[in-house]
Amino acid sequence: MFRRREAVPFSFVAESDRFRSNVTPPPRERPSLSQLTGRTLIGLTVVAGLAGSLLLGLPALETGQKAGEAQRSEAAQSQRAR
């Protein structure tokens, strides 16, 4: 089999980590007021949704027993009433 002289198939890939450009990229554009407002509203909507799901979901996760109360069946309660 023939063996390649280069470790990678293209020489520009091998040299890419050594190449440094002296051209600076253009400065970033500042987001407009409407973009900032939109991002803020989306963020608040997500946070409100998470908080709402937590508030609505916590009662469903409770077992229905208070700490310190023993679980009693209806039959045991009716015997005590007699």
Side-chain angles (χ1 to χ4, degrees), residues 21-57:
S21 174
N22 60 356
V23 177
T24 58
R28 281 188 166 179
E29 289 184 24
R30 296 188 68 201
S32 67
L33 185 60
S34 62
Q35 286 177 331
L36 286 175
T37 305
R39 290 177 189 175
T40 303
L41 287 175
I42 288 175
L44 287 174
T45 303
V46 169
V47 169
L50 291 172
S53 66
L54 186 65
L55 287 173
L56 293 174

Side-chain angles (χ1 to χ4, degrees), residues 69-82:
E69 284 187 15
Q71 182 177 4
R72 297 185 184 127
S73 67
E74 289 181 19
Q77 289 175 356
S78 65
Q79 272 186 340
R80 283 189 153 196
R82 286 184 187 180

Side-chain angles (χ1 to χ4, degrees), residues 58-74:
L58 280 178
L61 294 174
E62 292 180 1
T63 59
Q65 294 181 359
K66 305 256 190 263
E69 284 187 15
Q71 182 177 4
R72 297 185 184 127
S73 67
E74 289 181 19

